[in-house]
Amino acid sequence: MTAGELLARAPGLSLRRDAQGLTLVGKGVELRGDFARMKPRLRPNALGAEALVRAAKIKTCGSEPLAIDATAGLGEDALLLAAAGFRVILYEYNPVIAALLDDALTRARQDATLSAAVARMELRQQDSIPALAQSAQLPDVVLLDPMFPARQKSGQIKKKFQLLQQLEPPCATEAALLEAAFLAQPEKILVKRPAKASPLAARRPSYTVPAGNVRIDCYVPKRA
């Protein structure tokens, strides 16, 4: 399905391109990929304190470890890993979200502060579940951040995520996604979850790293 076909199924949503970039517009809300606002978090003293970066550390890896972000979204977590030295392959199967992410990457390549990290990021618009099974290289880290289920009170959900949920409902293939991550045989699987949510697919992690309103469940599978 193309971005145009998907938007046709989501009344009230449209894409607008202007001097600021590609923007998803709907119901008085605008959403645009924006890595520039991540700059304060990429400073060395701040980056090392990021829960995701701490969780992604592995004992044995090459000079440029490989991370696969299997649920890329707008790419902010992948940018943190890339800034920390990972080469990151980003999978996003939704064509509208992939277009927003691709636009954000294009703009970031022109920014001297972001270009080095973004050069280590490769976007692939495809379903990560079969892609993980076909990966030619064993990743060091697989990151999963499936969209959280909608809460009962819509006011608790940020408006921008309400837009995303019109395009991409909360993950309905959690078990298959986690199983695909294990089949890829990484050193670690990192799963972002709401702080009080049950583990993904009810599978208990090896350990957990708290991160404010969310947590990172860490799985350490045994490589064959």
Side-chain angles (χ1 to χ4, degrees):
M1 183 182 298
T2 66
E5 291 169 337
L6 184 57
L7 287 171
R9 297 186 179 187
L13 297 186
S14 63
L15 286 172
R16 182 190 71 216
R17 186 179 294 278
D18 56 26
Q20 293 182 300
L22 189 66
T23 304
L24 179 65
V25 182
K27 299 181 179 179
V29 180
E30 298 184 355
L31 176 63
R32 180 173 55 252
D34 181 16
F35 291 142
R37 68 184 186 85
M38 296 279 291
K39 290 180 182 180
R41 298 173 64 183
L42 302 182
R43 294 170 182 158
N45 59 333
L47 186 63
E50 288 281 346
L52 179 62
V53 172
R54 290 189 284 110
K57 287 182 178 179
I58 50 181
K59 294 181 179 179
T60 58
C61 65
S63 59
E64 190 176 64
L66 173 63
I68 292 179
D69 186 344
T71 51
L74 294 179
E76 294 183 355
D77 287 333
L79 179 64
L80 291 174
L81 293 180
F86 283 84
R87 179 169 67 90
V88 188
I89 297 174
L90 301 86
Y91 287 104
E92 177 52 59
Y93 78 93
N94 185 293
V96 175
I97 298 173
L100 293 169
L101 175 53
D102 183 59
D103 178 70
L105 288 167
T106 298
R107 285 183 280 112
R109 293 187 188 104
Q110 310 306 313
D111 188 319
T113 307
L114 298 169
S115 58
V118 173
R120 291 191 286 271
M121 298 168 67
E122 177 188 348
L123 172 61
R124 300 180 184 179
Q125 191 204 319
Q126 62 187 105
D127 188 339
S128 61
I129 293 178
L132 282 166
Q134 299 163 7
S135 179
Q137 179 182 352
L138 293 181
D140 295 288
V141 171
V142 173
L143 172 63
L144 307 178
D145 184 11
M147 191 173 293
F148 302 158
R151 300 183 177 95
Q152 293 299 314
K153 295 181 180 179
S154 61
Q156 293 178 310
I157 308 175
K158 291 183 178 180
K159 290 183 178 181
K160 68 177 182 179
F161 292 113
Q162 292 180 22
L163 282 187
L164 290 181
Q165 288 189 353
Q166 291 182 60
L167 293 171
E168 184 173 10
C171 183
T173 56
E174 292 184 347
L177 185 61
L178 187 56
E179 183 60 27
F182 272 93
L183 290 175
Q185 300 184 56
E187 292 281 352
K188 281 186 180 181
I189 300 168
L190 308 179
V191 183
K192 288 184 69 175
R193 299 292 287 164
K196 296 182 180 180
S198 58
L200 189 68
R203 190 161 184 167
R204 185 176 178 181
S206 303
Y207 62 95
T208 292
V209 176
N213 293 329
V214 300
R215 67 173 194 270
I216 301 171
D217 288 346
C218 304
Y219 300 81
V220 185
K222 294 181 179 179
R223 282 183 165 176

